[in-house]
Each structure stands twice: as structure tokens, then as C-alpha cells.
Amino acid sequence: MSAPVQSDRPAITIGLAAHHQFCPRRAWLEVAGERTDTHQMAVGTAQHVNTDDPSSARPGQLRAVDVTHSTWGYSGRCDTIEDLGDGTLRVLEYKATPVRRRAEVTEAMRMQVALQVAALEDAGQVVRDQFVYFTEHRQRVPVTLTAKDFEAAHALVDATRQAVESPFAPSALEDDPRCERCSHASVCLPDERALAPVRRRIVVADPDTQVVHLATPGSRASVRAGRLIVRKGDDELTSVPLERVQGVVVHGNADLSGGLIRELLWRQLSIVWCTGRGRVTGWASSTDSPNGTARARQHATTPEAGLNLAREFIAAKITNQATLLRRNGDAAASLARLRQLSRTAATALSTDEVLGIEGEAAALYFDGFQTMLRPAGVQFDGRTRRPARDPVNAALNYSYALLLGDCIRALRSCGLDPHIGFLHSSSRNKPALALDLLEEFRAPVADSTVIRAFNNGELTLDDFRAPLGTSALTERGRKALITSYERRVLGEMTHPTFGYKVTWRRAMEIQARLILGVLDGSQPSYIGIRTR
Ligand code: SF4
């Protein structure tokens, strides 16, 4: 099967064929817009700096030459082409290889070079020979190509096209060593797709990044020399290298410069704005967004098809409420019923039934909420959303807003639309899917943050104002709650389904990617996080 490249079809490149040869799912993820930035890629980029610069060529050399095969339908780039002076060419492909590994031409390199040579010959050039240059070894190794190699390269292009044009993701490899060195493991989640304990956890690079909160009224963040700088008046409040920024949350009357907004979006980092009382007012994210096909499917999913997701969000939420109450307060009156409601939610026949069960569970849970609060005078007389009538409700509202910001970021990072939900109705014009995802994290992250902050004295009644019979956090209280929340989301827990340790913030992205897995067809169902 050969096909010319068409604008409405994924462009087949030599790099994409290399991904496919490594693993068809990896090529599909690339076309779906998933990008990763691993150490290997960083090293590869550094090694290619010269070869990617056409102006750095020596006499008789051409660098970074774009090539196209019009019949087989792919394009690519040659690192270096040498003109041998007799009308023939030499192809040189640069490779960075860890020093302890041998300078050996692999099958993948052979295919890459074969595709470069085939494209040059398709353009009427004569290629005399071809080499791989191993930069760490400073060694040129010849590549001998036979007719069979060219047949295999052609078949690889066709197979790549067939795989990436499929609307459904290829299955992840099972227990395969390739996954351990795959640049896409953190977005692919190969072992998690089976929704069973992970036998051999793939350790993905720790991004060592942080969410920056701008919580000082009147402060302004800008970008300077690759750093995010926050200033108020003449004082510099904080300075963070942009590489370490995972996202920004702007609280109340703080500001961002246009340059910083542009830089964050260029880096595909999300910005969330919320009011000083903890209401998310909006977010900004890059125009580049992966998994467009799955997002379209998200929009087209019927309530019946999304019922598994809706059930799991609430079944897990209720289990987690029961666990928090049992661990921190008096659950004697409600534990059995909450557990029963969780089981009933998991098999409910409609989203209306799920919502009814959720309502009964919430009433039971908040009836016992006071028993989890130890300091004298910290009074909780039932859940009042907006306006908050007491400090506990004000802190809960704020904590839910922080959690909502994290859920929005998790969903956006895998390309899902925060507004199209499976439990919460999109007709309410709220970020329904973000509110769906938030449910299972409410008790263990947001409620737990508030309870700990009051019980360990980080928050006291002095940290609240009481305008017109309502309650709101002071600036100090808001900062204390944000600090407590960050400690919680960066804390590790053992994932109840997969059995490995993970931070709560990373767990949100994993759960978002499990929703994505249901939509892109690479896993059968969704399992919410249930704490024990
Ligand atoms: S992690 Fe494994 S299954 Fe996923 S893309 Fe990489 S090699 Fe393929």
C-alpha cells in the first residue's frame, strides 16, 4: 500500500516510522499529539545541534537536508550528506550512544538510513554509501543495504501509516522490556491499562516541578532570564526557573505579565485563575492539545456509555469519605451505610440514581464531619457552599477550588475537555469533567487538607474574616491553606489498584489518563481510587 502525503492525513515521517518500529502504540501516541521530553531526547537534541544547522556544514557537505519519497509517501531529514565529487553522495546519520554500549548499527538505524537513501534515490540522486557516526565513540560505522532492507523499509512506512490512521490506539505492550526505556511510558501507562496490580513499575523521570501559587495581593509575576519572578513593589517575593514550573495558580488580586503568559503557553503549561474566596474563574492553556480524536469521542459519548465512569467517580468518592471518617472521627453511625451506598453506586442503573446515592452519602458524611475537627471552637454545622457561613466551610470551598485547578490541569495535560462530563451535567456551564474527576479526591485530598490544617494549628479562627454573616479566609489563612494543600498533593500514597507509590498530584493525572484510555479504546473500563 503506497499513498501520497495528504494534508488531512497524518504526515508519515522517518522519525514516525522509527517510533512505529519500536512500538506501534508509540507512533500512534505521537500522532495523537503526546509529547515527552526525556533525558535521551535531550541528549539526542544536544548531539544534533550542529547537524540540524544547515549553515554549519563544511565544504562538500550538506547538513539537515529535508528529503521526500513521493511514491512511498513519507518525508524526513538527513543529518549530513557528503558530495563525493563524482556525482555520488554519502549519507551520514549521527547517533548519540551511551559510552558503555557498543558503536553498533541496530535494525532501527538500518531502517532509518534505508529510508533516507530511498528518498534521495527517488529524487534522482545516486548514493554510493552510508554510515552511522557514533558521537560518543567518534566512530563511523558503514551500513550495507540490500534489496531486502529497502523492501522492509517500504513495508515499515505502510505499516506506520495504517497504524496511525486508525481512530483507536493500538494496545499497549504487555510486560515488555521496551516499555522500561520508552520515552512515552508516562503518558502511555502500559501496565496500568490492564487495571490490575502493576508487577514491575516503570519508573518515569521525576519532573521535579512545582505548581506556583500567586497568593499575595498586589503581586505581579513576570519572566526574566528564564525564571519566573514574583515581585510586590520593590520586593522580590520568589524566583523559580521556568523548567521547574508545572503550572501557575493566580489567587485574587495578583497579576501576570503578558510575556509570562506567552512563555507558559508556549511551554504548554496551564494557568488557573481563582478568586480570593476560592472560586475558579478561568484557565488558559496552549492551543496545542493532544488526543483530539478521543476528545471528539468524549463529546459524543452518551450518558449510557459514560455510566461506568459516573458510577466509579461516586462509588470511589463514598468509599473515601467513609475511610476519612473512620480514620479521623466517629464513623460508628454511618460507616456500614456509607459502604453499602458505595457498593450500590458501583452498580447503579442511571446517572440519576448515582446522583441520588451521592446525596444520601454526603448527608451522612457531613453529619459526622465535626467529629474529625479537634480544636475547641472550630464548629461545623453542616455544609454551606456559597457563601460559606463558617470558617470550616470557607476552608473547604477554598480547598475544593485548589483541587479543581489540579483536576483541570490533569485533564488538559492529556487533551480532555474539562467541560464535557459523564456525571455532572455540561448544561450547567461548569467544568463538568473536572468536577467528575474531583469527586474521588475530595475526601483524601481537599477535606483531609482542611482537617489537618485545623487540627495541627496551621489554620485558626483568627485566619478568617466574617463579612456580613459569611466567612472568608484572610491573606495569612489563604497562604497557610495553600501550603497545607501543596504538602498533601505532593505527599505519596500507595495506589490502591496498581500497588505502587505515587503522589496525589500524579495520581490525578493517572486517573485522567484512565478516563482517556476508556475513550481511546485502549482499556475496557475505569476504576476510581478507593482509599482503605
Ligand atoms: S510504554 Fe510500552 S506500550 Fe507504551 S508506547 Fe512505549 S513501548 Fe509502547
Side-chain angles (χ1 to χ4, degrees), residues 22-26 29 171-173 176 178-179 182-185 188-190 202:
F22 184 82
C23 167
R25 182 170 164 83
R26 188 159 98 173
L29 291 171
S171 298
L173 302 175
D176 192 295
R178 271 174 289 179
C179 298
C182 176
S183 54
H184 289 55
C188 168
L189 303 181
I202 296 167

Side-chain angles (χ1 to χ4, degrees), residues 2 9 23 93 101 130 145 207 213 227 272-273 276 300 307 316 327 339 462 478 501:
S2 294
R9 299 169 68 184
C23 167
E93 171 64 19
R101 285 193 14 216
Q130 48 280 322
L145 295 174
H213 292 267
R227 299 181 78 87
V272 174
W273 281 266
L307 184 57
R327 284 186 187 165
R339 285 177 171 163
D462 291 340
R478 203 166 58 220
K501 286 210 177 297

Side-chain angles (χ1 to χ4, degrees), residues 34-93:
E34 296 282 15
R35 296 282 180 271
T36 57
D37 191 8
T38 65
H39 175 68
Q40 288 142 291
M41 290 164 81
V43 170
T45 304
Q47 302 285 7
H48 276 80
V49 163
N50 274 339
T51 57
D52 281 349
D53 178 3
S55 66
S56 65
R58 295 200 295 266
Q61 273 191 345
L62 291 169
R63 285 197 166 159
V65 182
D66 291 326
V67 293
T68 303
H69 198 306
S70 54
T71 319
W72 295 2
Y74 67 88
S75 57
R77 176 169 278 199
C78 299
D79 285 344
T80 299
I81 295 175
E82 291 181 353
D83 183 348
L84 299 178
D86 59 357
T88 64
L89 304 175
R90 168 172 294 153
V91 170
L92 265 183
E93 171 64 19

Side-chain angles (χ1 to χ4, degrees), residues 115-385:
L115 288 172
Q116 292 171 355
V117 171
L120 286 166
E121 291 183 345
D122 182 61
Q125 303 294 334
V126 179
V127 179
R128 189 203 293 175
D129 51 26
Q130 48 280 322
F131 293 79
V132 171
Y133 179 73
F134 292 92
T135 54
E136 296 281 345
H137 297 74
R138 298 172 184 269
Q139 189 182 340
R140 280 186 181 194
V141 178
V143 184
T144 308
L145 295 174
T146 64
K148 270 192 159 175
D149 291 317
F150 288 108
E151 272 172 34
H154 189 177
L156 175 63
V157 169
D158 287 347
T160 304
R161 178 176 297 107
Q162 197 169 14
V164 300
E165 289 187 355
S166 165
F168 293 99
S171 298
L173 302 175
E174 270 182 47
D175 200 17
D176 192 295
R178 271 174 289 179
C179 298
E180 289 188 355
R181 53 196 164 88
C182 176
S183 54
H184 289 55
S186 65
V187 296
C188 168
L189 303 181
D191 292 343
E192 288 85 342
R193 293 288 162 218
L195 300 178
V198 170
R199 280 165 290 169
R200 181 188 53 185
R201 187 188 174 200
I202 296 167
V203 179
V204 296
D206 179 358
D208 189 26
T209 55
Q210 65 184 92
V211 171
V212 176
H213 292 267
L214 298 181
T216 303
S219 62
R220 179 176 169 82
S222 58
V223 59
R224 199 177 66 222
R227 299 181 78 87
L228 183 156
I229 313 274
V230 184
R231 304 183 69 88
K232 182 170 183 183
D234 293 335
D235 298 332
E236 182 174 302
L237 304 182
T238 191
S239 166
V240 186
L242 281 168
E243 291 73 34
R244 293 201 52 213
V245 177
Q246 189 180 353
V248 173
V249 183
V250 185
H251 301 259
N253 180 26
D255 204 4
L256 295 178
S257 75
L260 179 60
I261 294 173
R262 205 166 45 238
E263 184 71 27
L264 293 170
L265 296 183
W266 185 78
R267 290 170 182 259
Q268 300 188 19
L269 300 173
S270 294
I271 309 164
V272 174
W273 281 266
C274 64
T275 67
R277 286 195 176 219
R279 181 191 287 273
V280 173
T281 50
W283 65 88
S285 48
S286 164
T287 45
D288 282 355
S289 180
N291 299 308
T293 308
R295 189 163 57 251
R297 214 169 281 138
Q298 178 193 354
H299 284 241
T301 301
T302 61
E304 295 71 34
L307 184 57
N308 156 254
L309 288 154
R311 286 171 179 157
E312 277 297 301
F313 296 141
I314 294 307
K317 171 186 179 176
I318 298 172
T319 297
N320 296 344
Q321 288 174 327
T323 302
L324 192 73
L325 203 51
R326 177 176 56 76
R327 284 186 187 165
N328 297 281
D330 181 359
S334 55
L335 192 60
R337 181 63 184 151
L338 283 171
R339 285 177 171 163
Q340 188 187 20
L341 287 169
S342 174
R343 286 193 295 274
T344 312
T347 56
L349 299 176
S350 67
T351 45
D352 281 347
E353 188 184 342
V354 174
L355 288 167
I357 294 166
E358 181 204 14
E360 182 183 343
L364 279 171
Y365 171 67
F366 283 114
D367 273 354
F369 202 88
Q370 177 70 57
T371 66
M372 295 190 280
L373 296 162
R374 307 213 199 303
V378 176
Q379 202 58 38
F380 179 80
D381 294 323
R383 182 82 181 106
T384 56
R385 288 182 174 79

